[in-house]
Amino acid sequence: MDTQSGGPHAPAESGAAVAGVRAAAVVVKDARKSYTRGGTPVLNGLNMTVAEGSIYGLLGASGCGKTTLLTCIVGRRPLDNGAIRVLGFGPGAPGSGLPGPTVGYMPQELALHGMFTVAETFRYFGWISGMTTAEIRLRSERLLKLLDIPFPDKLVGELSGGQQRRVSLGVALLNKPPVLILDEPTVGVDPTLRQSIWDLLLNETRNARTTVIITTHYIEEARQSDAVGLMRNGTLLDEDAPEALLRRYGCASMEDVFLKLSVRQQRERHGTSDSHAIALVETTPQHATPRPQDEQADVQSRPVVVDDPSLLQTRPVVLAGHSNVAPCTWKMAVFTWRNKSVIGILFALPIIICVLFGFAVGGDPKSLHLAVVNDDFTCCERNLPAFPSDCEAEDPRGLSCRYLQRINKDMFDVDDYDDVDAAQRAVREGRAWGVIHFPSNYSHSLVARSREGRDVTATTLDSSDISVWLDMSNRQVSELARSALATAALQYFEDVQRGCKGNPNAKALPMQFNEPIYGKRDLYFPDFFAPAVILSVVYNINCIYTMSGFIDDRKDGFMERSISSGVRVTEILGAHVLVDAVMMLIVTGITLVFMCGFLGFENNGSLWILIFLCLIHGFCGMFQGYFISSLFTSDFEATFCCMGFYFPTLLLSGLMWPLEGMHPLLRNSVWLLPLNLATTAIRSIMNRGWGLGSPDVRNGFLSATFWLAFFVLVTLTTLRLKKSFAT
């Protein structure tokens, strides 16, 4: 059972408030941070102290390092040097609750998912903060009224920009954290509601001892803060109560104070010779030098803030034994269900690919035009003679026509030509795929060739040959055409032998092809392709789906905010795996049903072994997708990387061409690729009926298991090492 320690109402076990002394809830000392080694520092020796139960306004121009400082405080980025303590603990330290429910963090970007309703958004972030469903309901109802959010059942993506910002603020306030960090919470909010938000924050600090750090570009708005820090170029120029700063620098507005301090920093950095600094000085009404009497008055009037955790009256919120896998899985299930169009495409893709493969691949070509020049006999149905009953006949005729009758009529359309030149010109112009020429006196010569045997003359041999010229530019078509013509010639030769009272078993090709040990006598290319297609569909569709889903989860900072709220990367990944595995099982089932059931591809081995191997590779594809999405932040980059994996795998896996036909250098190395040994294994299962006793099948399973473990390991390593995922 989850237990919660600390919280906004938990008093300190030791120490007590001392009159005129306030404990520091957030302390930053000499913070230094840059994003590249040797690069311009984003934080450059920054020091900041935030009193417990106060509102601290952090002011500064865009790019001065405010957001970087806040992400370091919540524990999302480590400092290069320096120290940060929140309620006495460093971010990430045991007992700190950071990242986690100790700090309610509202980032500058929306960091909410548009596919959630407002109520679902509160429910998800409440669950990961350790709240019960009843507590979430009561707290969210109050926040909806306070923040004027009228549509709890409306999708966040359908709200206006101002309403979305209020929902984001409500998420930060939801679990009543002891520390609130709000990055530009009032942007896009009308003045009346802006003041209501400030009233709410003032109430939280007074009644619940909540410590608030707020950034805003409305400088005068920050005068409502208990203290203000003015930040520029990665350093804090000064910090104090707004009125104290105004008195100290003799200014009427916070803008003038900030300008004076900016001029002083510019002078110190560049010297008086810097033209830009001189221009700033000339436009500044007074020098940025504090008056001694004002400094003394400020010191006497303001409370002392000390870095002594024993004086703190609030403690970090630590959830013991709390797991976020269930809420993350619920979130993924909701997202998946809302993306019905994506689910439809996901389930339709394997059907489309399998059906297209079944009807588009492996069939014999149809209606190939064949240019025939028959100088032997003019063929027509009514003058076609019978086969000679005796090879001694004086006038054997029309044997060329008998051969043409044997040609596959579905594959070839015969076009008659008068001469060979015209027929060959038709091939060159793309009007025919080949030329067949029967020489004059062909029938007489063929009978003489059969009758005379070894005494036949060279002239007779030449005039009994059928000459063929093919267009070999398309190897697949031309090889099928050549095979069909050769098969017709063998059958035709048997007819001639039978007609001449010879032995029809005396084949022109002295070789007997018996029933095959594996496979079918008639070559059917899809039987070779089908196993690899099954594996490729299961692997690549799941890879693309999980890659897109994981990147979508990271969009707009939603995953980042979840991690800042205490969700671990492994919990997010585990939730993705649980939901995506269901999708993978369905895709695998659809693929096998359509390939083996609807299209009739025969599986001669164990169905369970086949399914198990496909599932392992489905998981491999899933984790390859997670790995790719962990490397990139945009769909565009990840898609191109995925294509970079897909096309070499397609060419080298044996799907398009047997591995035995590759260059020796490739053949000896491509077996390392994810699909290669598995493709061989699945072919052995389906076409040969082999089981786990076969080395080929075992190697396929070993390869699949290795790649699954590899992708799991590199995915987890990448997620932990990348700065955007640092925990």
Side-chain angles (χ1 to χ4, degrees), residues 107-249:
Q108 189 172 22
E109 67 273 14
L110 181 61
L112 299 176
H113 206 294
M115 297 297 289
F116 259 175
T117 65
V118 175
E120 289 168 343
T121 301
F122 283 139
R123 192 179 309 151
Y124 168 71
F125 281 100
W127 280 340
I128 65 178
S129 298
M131 300 174 69
T132 66
T133 303
E135 291 172 338
I136 295 168
R137 184 175 61 253
L138 292 174
R139 178 66 171 164
S140 60
E141 287 175 355
R142 181 169 182 268
L143 289 172
L144 289 173
K145 293 178 182 178
L146 287 172
L147 298 172
D148 191 24
I149 303 171
F151 308 110
D153 295 325
K154 197 170 185 179
L155 295 178
V156 172
E158 297 175 352
L159 299 176
S160 67
Q163 290 171 334
Q164 291 175 341
R165 297 291 297 172
R166 280 176 266 161
V167 174
S168 182
L169 175 59
V171 168
L173 294 165
L174 186 62
N175 68 316
K176 298 182 180 180
V179 178
L180 270 175
I181 295 181
L182 310 175
D183 199 351
E184 302 279 5
T186 57
V187 171
V189 176
D190 65 80
T192 302
L193 188 57
R194 187 185 308 156
Q195 187 56 51
S196 298
I197 291 173
W198 274 96
D199 292 341
L200 174 63
L201 296 178
L202 289 168
N203 180 68
E204 291 288 326
T205 58
R206 302 300 180 263
N207 298 331
R209 302 291 297 171
T210 302
T211 304
V212 180
I213 300 176
I214 182 172
T215 69
T216 177
H217 66 270
Y218 301 114
I219 296 182
E220 287 306 310
E221 177 183 76
R223 292 183 66 169
Q224 300 180 74
S225 304
D226 297 297
V228 172
L230 303 175
M231 187 173 178
R232 186 172 186 266
N233 294 331
T235 61
L236 207 63
L237 303 177
D238 204 347
E239 62 177 358
D240 210 333
E243 296 304 321
L245 290 173
L246 292 174
R247 286 195 305 270
R248 184 180 308 163
Y249 296 102

Side-chain angles (χ1 to χ4, degrees), residues 386-467:
F387 275 111
S389 59
D390 187 351
C391 280
E392 299 297 330
E394 295 182 1
D395 188 23
R397 298 179 303 149
L399 296 185
S400 56
C401 302
R402 291 296 180 183
Y403 173 73
L404 294 176
Q405 277 191 324
R406 281 289 184 178
I407 290 177
N408 189 325
K409 298 300 189 297
D410 292 330
M411 181 180 290
F412 297 107
D413 288 338
V414 175
D415 300 326
D416 292 321
Y417 284 81
D418 294 331
D419 59 78
V420 173
D421 290 339
Q424 291 180 342
R425 186 163 56 250
V427 175
R428 293 190 185 97
E429 294 174 357
R431 292 181 284 113
W433 277 93
V435 176
I436 293 182
H437 176 229
F438 297 96
S440 60
N441 208 31
Y442 167 76
S443 297
H444 288 83
S445 299
L446 184 61
V447 170
R449 180 176 184 165
S450 177
R451 183 179 59 237
E452 296 174 8
R454 65 180 183 179
D455 297 324
V456 65
T457 65
T459 303
T460 300
L461 287 175
D462 290 340
S463 58
S464 62
D465 280 341
I466 304 172
S467 299

Side-chain angles (χ1 to χ4, degrees), residues 345-545:
I345 294 172
L346 176 68
F347 295 162
L349 268 178
I351 297 175
I352 294 171
I353 293 172
C354 292
V355 170
L356 290 178
F357 170 75
F359 288 98
V361 177
D364 290 334
K366 301 291 190 294
S367 301
L368 300 178
H369 286 274
L370 195 62
V372 176
V373 180
N374 195 343
D375 292 333
D376 175 62
F377 192 83
T378 301
C379 300
C380 65
E381 291 298 330
R382 45 189 184 80
N383 69 357
L384 187 63
F387 275 111
S389 59
D390 187 351
C391 280
E392 299 297 330
E394 295 182 1
D395 188 23
R397 298 179 303 149
L399 296 185
S400 56
C401 302
R402 291 296 180 183
Y403 173 73
L404 294 176
Q405 277 191 324
R406 281 289 184 178
I407 290 177
N408 189 325
K409 298 300 189 297
D410 292 330
M411 181 180 290
F412 297 107
D413 288 338
V414 175
D415 300 326
D416 292 321
Y417 284 81
D418 294 331
D419 59 78
V420 173
D421 290 339
Q424 291 180 342
R425 186 163 56 250
V427 175
R428 293 190 185 97
E429 294 174 357
R431 292 181 284 113
W433 277 93
V435 176
I436 293 182
H437 176 229
F438 297 96
S440 60
N441 208 31
Y442 167 76
S443 297
H444 288 83
S445 299
L446 184 61
V447 170
R449 180 176 184 165
S450 177
R451 183 179 59 237
E452 296 174 8
R454 65 180 183 179
D455 297 324
V456 65
T457 65
T459 303
T460 300
L461 287 175
D462 290 340
S463 58
S464 62
D465 280 341
I466 304 172
S467 299
V468 180
W469 297 267
L470 292 177
D471 177 357
M472 298 293 290
S473 59
N474 186 321
R475 177 167 181 171
Q476 203 71 9
V477 172
S478 58
E479 287 294 338
L480 289 170
R482 181 158 62 180
S483 176
L485 293 175
T487 300
L490 291 174
Q491 295 171 346
Y492 160 70
F493 181 77
E494 291 179 10
D495 287 345
V496 171
Q497 288 290 91
R498 189 178 294 108
C500 292
K501 298 186 181 297
N503 185 354
N505 293 323
K507 296 179 173 60
L509 181 65
M511 184 178 292
Q512 177 72 31
F513 286 96
N514 300 308
E515 284 297 320
I517 297 174
Y518 295 111
K520 302 173 183 177
R521 180 185 288 272
D522 295 328
L523 181 63
Y524 187 51
F525 280 105
D527 287 336
F528 172 78
F529 288 123
V533 169
I534 292 173
L535 213 57
S536 180
V537 168
V538 170
Y539 188 92
N540 290 295
I541 288 182
N542 284 291
C543 175
I544 295 171
Y545 175 72

Side-chain angles (χ1 to χ4, degrees), residues 4-11 52 87 101-102 175-179 208-209 313-318:
Q4 180 171 303
S5 63
H9 305 290
E52 181 185 23
L87 300 181
T102 295
N175 68 316
K176 298 182 180 180
V179 178
R209 302 291 297 171
Q313 298 185 46
T314 53
R315 286 287 182 264
V317 179
V318 182

Side-chain angles (χ1 to χ4, degrees), residues 581-652:
V582 176
M583 300 294 106
M584 185 270 290
L585 289 171
I586 297 174
V587 168
T588 303
I590 290 173
T591 304
L592 290 175
V593 166
F594 268 80
M595 290 295 285
C596 298
F598 180 73
L599 296 176
F601 288 102
E602 187 176 357
N603 174 37
N604 294 302
S606 169
L607 179 62
W608 293 110
I609 295 177
L610 174 63
I611 292 173
F612 190 42
L613 183 58
C614 290
L615 291 180
I616 294 178
H617 267 274
F619 279 107
C620 280
M622 284 172 51
F623 275 93
Q624 183 179 321
Y626 297 139
F627 172 58
I628 293 173
S629 60
S630 70
L631 296 174
F632 304 101
T633 57
S634 74
D635 289 313
F636 184 79
E637 295 172 323
T639 300
F640 267 85
C641 181
C642 193
M643 291 171 61
F645 276 101
Y646 172 72
F647 284 109
T649 301
L650 180 69
L651 294 172
L652 300 175

Side-chain angles (χ1 to χ4, degrees), residues 92-106:
S96 67
L98 281 176
T102 295
V103 172
Y105 177 47
M106 177 185 174

